[in-house]
Amino acid sequence: TQTVSQSDAHVTVFEGDSVELRCNYSYGGSIYLSWYIQHHGHGLQFLLKYYSGNPVVQGVNGFEAEFSKSDSSFHLRKASVHWSDSAVYFCAVSAPGNTGKLIFGLGTTLQVQP
Amino acid sequence: GALVYQYPRRTICKSGTSMRMECQAVGFQATSVAWYRQSPQKTFELIALSTVNSAIKYEQNFTQEKFPISHPNLSFSSMTVLNAYLEDRGLYLCGAKTGYEQYFGPGTRLTVL
């Protein structure tokens, strides 16, 4: 059974700060990991994904995430946040054989203060 | 580019009535379409996964009798919420998959009165 855990429900930082949003997963086989962003009142926007290769993946708007098999983690980072980064961030896991089923974490609300 | 459209964006229905929502993939051929629901203050739950020419697979808490889905071709899918009640309110997302990429539409927000 695949599970996704986002340990922080809320994260508050100031504009210009760096931020790390944590995601841990449990799954024994090959895995596909992704991050999505949901602005208030909207649907999901894709940020980045990892399946294989370089464990550090770059996404849109300066986001990056690092896959760690030993820690079963896929934390999302940004070096300098902007107020417009305020949103809910969802980590998701999918086994390639599942053909489209994503299991989402509960989400982390990021609030960027001016 | 690859886009997923959903219609309507917002809808209100009376308790006990039904409403249909649509999902259109543009710019790519979807190999599967997944319907998710985000209830208020919650994460996204998979309702069902639909692959063209294969049976639609529903998750444990969702049934075809309640959420019938039509997926006639690689670019279009529709789902109906039958006999909607308060617990059915939320944001319904359509995710269309091609290869390892899954693209989401903006969602249909359902309010039940």
Side-chain angles (χ1 to χ4, degrees):
Chain A
T1 303
Q2 301 142 287
T3 63
V4 179
S5 172
Q6 293 182 247
S7 55
D8 299 314
H10 296 273
V11 172
T12 301
V13 296
F14 289 98
E15 199 166 25
D17 286 350
S18 63
V19 71
E20 179 178 86
L21 305 182
R22 292 181 290 186
C23 173
N24 290 88
Y25 66 91
S26 65
Y27 185 68
S30 299
I31 199 165
Y32 173 96
L33 294 153
S34 51
W35 277 95
Y36 291 85
I37 180 174
Q38 183 185 34
H39 289 282
H40 182 68
H42 291 80
L44 286 178
Q45 283 179 271
F46 173 80
L47 276 180
L48 47 75
K49 70 179 188 297
Y50 172 82
Y51 177 62
S52 64
N54 189 337
V56 179
V57 292
Q58 305 296 322
V60 297
N61 296 334
F63 285 97
E64 69 173 29
E66 183 168 4
F67 167 72
S68 171
K69 188 174 182 179
S70 59
D71 293 338
S72 297
S73 68
F74 190 55
H75 302 328
L76 181 71
R77 300 189 295 245
K78 186 169 183 178
S80 177
V81 294
H82 187 262
W83 64 267
S84 60
D85 294 322
S86 297
V88 184
Y89 291 78
F90 290 93
C91 180
V93 63
S94 171
N98 279 343
T99 64
K101 176 180 178 178
L102 292 179
I103 297 170
F104 289 90
L106 295 180
T108 297
T109 299
L110 175 64
Q111 185 175 3
V112 180
Q113 295 185 340
Chain B
L3 292 172
V4 177
Y5 292 100
Q6 287 189 251
Y7 178 83
R9 293 290 303 275
R10 294 176 179 272
T11 186
I12 301 172
C13 67
K14 291 184 178 180
S15 182
T17 64
S18 301
M19 71 81 52
R20 180 172 177 266
M21 55 190 75
E22 299 179 347
C23 173
Q24 178 91 40
V26 176
F28 67 103
Q29 288 190 329
T31 54
S32 66
V33 172
W35 286 93
Y36 294 84
R37 180 174 72 189
Q38 183 186 37
S39 300
Q41 309 304 321
K42 292 188 176 180
T43 190
F44 295 91
E45 296 178 277
L46 180 65
I47 296 171
L49 185 62
S50 171
T51 306
V52 173
N53 298 325
S54 297
I56 298 170
K57 185 179 178 184
Y58 286 82
E59 291 297 291
Q60 189 172 5
N61 297 325
F62 301 93
T63 65
Q64 182 182 5
E65 290 70 31
K66 173 72 174 177
F67 300 96
I69 291 171
S70 172
H71 190 184
N73 58 59
L74 291 173
S75 64
F76 181 82
S77 178
S78 67
M79 183 177 74
T80 301
V81 181
L82 294 176
N83 299 317
Y85 288 98
L86 191 62
E87 58 265 27
D88 294 318
R89 63 191 171 133
L91 181 68
Y92 288 79
L93 275 190
C94 166
K97 185 177 184 295
T98 179
Y100 288 117
E101 302 287 340
Q102 180 149 173
Y103 302 97
F104 286 94
T108 293
R109 188 167 296 279
L110 173 63
T111 301
V112 182
L113 301 178

